[in-house]
Amino acid sequence: MTTHGLLIADEDLTTRKQMAELFSDAGYQVSAPASAAGVLYGILKKTVKVVLLSTRFDELLATELIPLLKKCNRDLTIILVASELPLALLRRARSEGIFYHALKPGTGPGDGEELRQAVKCAFDKANQNEQPDRPSAD
Protein backbone atom coordinates (compact mmCIF):
# COMPACT_ATOMS: atom_id res chain seq x y z
CA MET A 1 0.00 0.00 0.00
CA THR A 2 2.31 2.73 -1.16
CA THR A 3 -0.36 5.05 -2.54
CA HIS A 4 -0.84 7.10 0.59
CA GLY A 5 -1.89 10.65 0.19
CA LEU A 6 -3.62 13.75 1.29
CA LEU A 7 -7.41 14.07 1.29
CA ILE A 8 -9.13 17.45 1.28
CA ALA A 9 -12.64 17.55 2.77
CA ASP A 10 -13.85 21.12 2.37
CA GLU A 11 -17.41 22.10 1.53
CA ASP A 12 -16.30 25.08 -0.56
CA LEU A 13 -15.39 23.93 -4.08
CA THR A 14 -13.08 26.91 -4.70
CA THR A 15 -11.14 26.29 -1.48
CA ARG A 16 -10.98 22.56 -2.22
CA LYS A 17 -9.51 23.25 -5.67
CA GLN A 18 -7.09 25.86 -4.32
CA MET A 19 -5.74 23.51 -1.64
CA ALA A 20 -5.62 20.57 -4.07
CA GLU A 21 -3.52 22.62 -6.48
CA LEU A 22 -1.27 23.89 -3.68
CA PHE A 23 -0.43 20.38 -2.50
CA SER A 24 -0.35 18.72 -5.93
CA ASP A 25 2.23 21.31 -6.98
CA ALA A 26 4.21 20.41 -3.83
CA GLY A 27 4.33 16.76 -4.91
CA TYR A 28 1.62 15.24 -2.72
CA GLN A 29 -0.87 12.72 -4.05
CA VAL A 30 -4.13 14.62 -3.45
CA SER A 31 -7.78 13.64 -3.57
CA ALA A 32 -10.63 16.06 -3.00
CA PRO A 33 -13.95 14.20 -2.96
CA ALA A 34 -17.18 16.18 -3.01
CA SER A 35 -18.99 14.02 -0.46
CA ALA A 36 -18.53 12.41 2.94
CA ALA A 37 -19.01 9.03 1.22
CA GLY A 38 -15.97 9.77 -0.97
CA VAL A 39 -13.96 10.74 2.10
CA LEU A 40 -14.89 7.53 3.90
CA TYR A 41 -14.08 5.45 0.82
CA GLY A 42 -10.55 6.89 0.62
CA ILE A 43 -9.95 6.32 4.31
CA LEU A 44 -11.35 2.78 4.32
CA LYS A 45 -9.18 1.87 1.33
CA LYS A 46 -6.16 3.02 3.38
CA THR A 47 -4.98 5.33 0.60
CA VAL A 48 -5.05 8.39 2.87
CA LYS A 49 -2.62 9.39 5.61
CA VAL A 50 -3.62 13.02 6.21
CA VAL A 51 -6.99 14.76 5.98
CA LEU A 52 -7.57 18.49 5.69
CA LEU A 53 -11.04 18.94 7.13
CA SER A 54 -13.16 22.11 7.18
CA THR A 55 -15.58 22.84 10.01
CA ARG A 56 -18.51 21.64 7.90
CA PHE A 57 -18.49 19.12 5.07
CA ASP A 58 -21.41 17.48 3.26
CA GLU A 59 -23.87 18.85 5.86
CA LEU A 60 -21.88 17.35 8.77
CA LEU A 61 -19.90 19.27 11.37
CA ALA A 62 -16.23 18.41 11.75
CA THR A 63 -16.92 17.30 15.31
CA GLU A 64 -19.35 14.72 13.92
CA LEU A 65 -16.95 13.54 11.21
CA ILE A 66 -13.74 13.31 13.25
CA PRO A 67 -14.81 10.36 15.46
CA LEU A 68 -16.16 8.53 12.41
CA LEU A 69 -12.93 9.07 10.46
CA LYS A 70 -10.87 7.93 13.44
CA LYS A 71 -12.96 4.75 13.73
CA CYS A 72 -12.23 4.00 10.09
CA ASN A 73 -8.49 4.52 10.59
CA ARG A 74 -7.17 5.27 14.06
CA ASP A 75 -3.77 6.29 12.63
CA LEU A 76 -5.30 8.97 10.43
CA THR A 77 -3.87 12.44 10.92
CA ILE A 78 -6.53 15.16 10.75
CA ILE A 79 -5.82 18.86 10.32
CA LEU A 80 -8.83 21.09 10.94
CA VAL A 81 -8.76 24.01 8.49
CA ALA A 82 -10.88 27.01 9.45
CA SER A 83 -10.52 30.76 9.63
CA GLU A 84 -13.18 31.42 12.23
CA LEU A 85 -13.89 28.77 14.79
CA PRO A 86 -15.82 29.01 18.07
CA LEU A 87 -13.62 28.01 21.00
CA ALA A 88 -16.07 25.30 22.10
CA LEU A 89 -15.88 23.67 18.66
CA LEU A 90 -12.08 23.82 18.65
CA ARG A 91 -11.91 22.25 22.12
CA ARG A 92 -14.23 19.46 21.06
CA ALA A 93 -12.24 18.84 17.86
CA ARG A 94 -9.04 18.64 19.90
CA SER A 95 -10.61 16.18 22.31
CA GLU A 96 -11.66 14.05 19.30
CA GLY A 97 -8.03 13.81 18.20
CA ILE A 98 -7.16 16.40 15.57
CA PHE A 99 -3.45 16.84 14.89
CA TYR A 100 -3.55 20.59 14.27
CA HIS A 101 -5.84 23.55 13.63
CA ALA A 102 -4.70 25.70 10.70
CA LEU A 103 -6.13 28.84 9.17
CA LYS A 104 -7.61 28.61 5.68
CA PRO A 105 -5.06 29.88 3.17
CA GLY A 106 -5.78 33.18 1.51
CA THR A 107 -5.00 34.08 -2.08
CA GLY A 108 -1.62 35.72 -1.47
CA PRO A 109 1.65 34.05 -2.46
CA GLY A 110 2.72 33.09 1.09
CA ASP A 111 -0.72 32.54 2.56
CA GLY A 112 -0.55 28.75 2.48
CA GLU A 113 2.73 28.46 4.39
CA GLU A 114 1.21 27.55 7.76
CA LEU A 115 -0.87 24.83 6.12
CA ARG A 116 2.10 23.54 4.10
CA GLN A 117 4.17 23.24 7.29
CA ALA A 118 1.33 21.51 9.14
CA VAL A 119 0.89 18.98 6.32
CA LYS A 120 4.63 18.30 6.18
CA CYS A 121 4.69 17.67 9.95
CA ALA A 122 1.61 15.46 9.69
CA PHE A 123 3.22 13.29 7.01
CA ASP A 124 6.47 13.13 9.01
CA LYS A 125 4.46 11.90 12.01
CA ALA A 126 2.47 9.42 9.93
CA ASN A 127 5.64 8.03 8.35
CA GLN A 128 7.28 7.67 11.77
CA ASN A 129 4.29 5.70 13.03
CA GLU A 130 4.55 3.32 10.05
CA GLN A 131 8.18 2.37 10.56
CA PRO A 132 8.58 -0.92 12.40
CA ASP A 133 10.70 -0.89 15.52
CA ARG A 134 14.21 -1.90 14.66
CA PRO A 135 16.17 -4.04 17.08
CA SER A 136 19.12 -2.23 18.57
CA ALA A 137 22.58 -3.28 17.45
CA ASP A 138 24.31 -4.40 20.62
Side-chain angles (χ1 to χ4, degrees):
M1 278 183 255
T2 58
T3 59
H4 296 290
L6 174 69
L7 188 140
I8 299 167
D10 194 299
E11 195 149 87
D12 180 48
L13 177 61
T14 304
T15 302
R16 214 169 45 235
K17 285 182 177 180
Q18 176 190 4
M19 287 193 289
E21 186 176 306
L22 176 74
F23 289 105
S24 290
D25 290 350
Y28 292 97
Q29 184 178 10
V30 178
S31 63
S35 69
V39 170
L40 292 173
Y41 179 79
I43 292 167
L44 288 170
K45 287 293 190 179
K46 306 285 188 207
T47 59
V48 175
K49 280 187 182 180
V50 178
V51 174
L52 299 180
L53 179 64
S54 65
T55 55
R56 180 175 287 280
F57 182 68
D58 203 13
E59 300 183 21
L60 296 167
L61 290 175
T63 51
E64 296 170 316
L65 272 172
I66 294 166
L68 182 59
L69 300 179
K70 287 290 194 170
K71 282 183 182 177
C72 292
N73 181 352
R74 64 181 175 85
D75 296 325
L76 190 65
T77 305
I78 300 171
I79 299 173
L80 186 62
V81 183
S83 294
E84 295 179 21
L85 194 62
L87 189 55
L89 184 63
L90 181 57
R91 283 186 181 142
R92 184 156 174 222
R94 285 184 179 158
S95 73
E96 296 290 352
I98 64 166
F99 174 72
Y100 189 75
H101 165 235
L103 296 175
K104 277 196 177 195
T107 56
D111 287 347
E113 190 56 35
E114 177 195 20
L115 195 53
R116 274 193 289 273
Q117 289 298 319
V119 168
K120 181 185 180 314
C121 288
F123 272 101
D124 289 347
K125 176 189 169 272
N127 290 334
Q128 263 183 344
N129 289 344
E130 272 189 359
Q131 293 178 357
D133 293 331
R134 293 187 210 155
S136 61
D138 290 323

